Amino acid sequence: MTTAIELSDVIKSFQQVKAVDGISFNIRQGEVVALLGPNGAGKSTTADMILGLQNADSGEISVAGRHPRKACENGLVGAMLQSSGLPTELTVRETVALMARFYPNSAGVDETIQAAGISAIAGKRTDRLSGGESQRARFALALIADPKILVLDEPTAAMDVASRHEFWNTMRSAAERGRTLVFATHYLEEADKYADRIILMRQGRVVADGTSASIKSAASSRTVSFEIAGEPGLNLDTLAGVTSVARTANTYRLTCDDSDSVLRRIISAFPGAFNFEVSATGLDEAFLALTKGDTGDD
Amino acid sequence: MIRAYLASEIKRSVRNYRNLIFVLLIPVFMLLIFSSSTKGSRTGLLSTTTYVMISMATFAAMNGALSAGGRIAVERQTGWSRQLRLTPLSGKAYVSSKLMNGYCIALPAMAIVFLVGKLALSVALPSATWLKMALFIGVAMTPISLLGLFIGYTARPDNLQAISAGVNVTLSALGGLWFPAQFFPLWLKDLAKATPTYWIAESGRSAAEGQWIGATGTVVLVIWTLTLGAASMFAYEKANQRNYAT
């Protein structure tokens, strides 16, 4: 499969803040990828750079084998930006028709309106749309060039549960046509449900990259720490459920898949062990931050 | 592409009734009030009615150009201009469409003032002179169009109204559009002669008199054009580099 989007060692700072701090990933044509992370993780900045709206301070970005700006101008990329109004005093149809004029090979006005599922609101003036409706109108604009790649930044932010569901159904049929779909979200559930692959971001870095299942298992790991006076006399690495061991003085920190069974083994093997502590790993913390559903803008 | 965009911009302006009424009707309203007491009097070489009519034509053209530029500020805020940046429509095409759209409002606004002058206030001038006045004002108002761009790329929608109104009142009053500058005290008259609006109206009046505004006026207008051209280019660059991730 060909590469649709490629980022290598991309860094972007605003004043003193490193919004994106050295990220690399490849997205293949046809993949549906979620950029998942809490607010301020660098998802929007990453999306902006993929779209050529912002230049990276360093690192390389290529989209459909070319510079991001070129890819957009050639109509290979369609986008729904996080904050993008529609032109006032035009109807939805007129706005779609205007955009169609920008691309020599546009998907067609009627076809696009149909594909985005906005026939019912096509005659409405853009300033009279509800949040969810205007979001869907903007989705139509993202489809107008019949792009191979779609980049959606928090596409369902303004939607209620019902329109969110409907939106993803539309999105799915857009992706079924072999399109590459990259969407930024801070909803774990959306990423889990709709993406083949999740790139989990936190504080400008990629902290995990894989299928939803692999991320979940990584995220569910725990650290078990305890103290033993003297040597354990047993190779802790080989203990079932342990993925790594760190030792400082008499304190051992075991990263585990299955902290419960490890804990039982340790207690029975070392009656003299004390100061037990079971804690979530950093990735889990990231997940917690996500699932807590903190609100606000990033 | 740029033609499609310009056409939709004009359509949007025409549908923006509130702004359109303000731009098209206020100058006419003011013209009718100001000229009601000027019958038969003269200001310089022109009848006072003609003088006031040209001032109001300038005022109308200025309102048109400024309102078109101000829309940029709104589109920057809503993010529509960002969406357009993803399309093949170039920044240059975007800006020049906004400028041309400004003229598409400014010129009819000016024409309506002239029409009222001719039909209701019996200002009698040869048809070539009407055209020449429109042309002179149209060319001389370039700095105002650029000022509209500058405001569009520096103002925020929540202070746009205040800024536009402030600029509008200052330039109109100081430029002698509402009250002839020749009745100003000397120091104020000197100040008026530094404004672009004074010279835009003067260029219209000189056309009515069969003259041209002369070297001073031309130099003032060129300086304003260059200054505001550079300022709006700078503001444009800066706005496009800005971090949008708010």
Side-chain angles (χ1 to χ4, degrees), chain B residues 61 94 136:
Chain B
Y94 176 81
F136 276 35

Side-chain angles (χ1 to χ4, degrees), chain B residues 150-222:
Chain B
F150 180 71
I151 292 173
Y153 279 108
T154 49
R156 292 209 322 257
D158 42 341
N159 55 27
L160 177 66
Q161 289 264 315
I163 289 175
S164 295
V167 163
N168 194 315
V169 169
T170 309
L171 286 180
S172 307
L174 210 54
L177 301 185
W178 293 345
F179 186 79
Q182 60 196 100
F183 302 123
F184 284 179
L186 199 62
W187 65 273
L188 197 58
K189 199 188 272 181
D190 285 341
L191 208 56
K193 286 184 178 173
T195 64
T197 25
Y198 175 83
W199 291 108
I200 299 167
E202 269 304 292
S203 67
R205 284 190 273 271
S206 61
E209 292 161 355
Q211 298 168 342
W212 77 296
I213 53 169
T216 314
T218 312
V219 168
V220 171
L221 286 173
V222 167

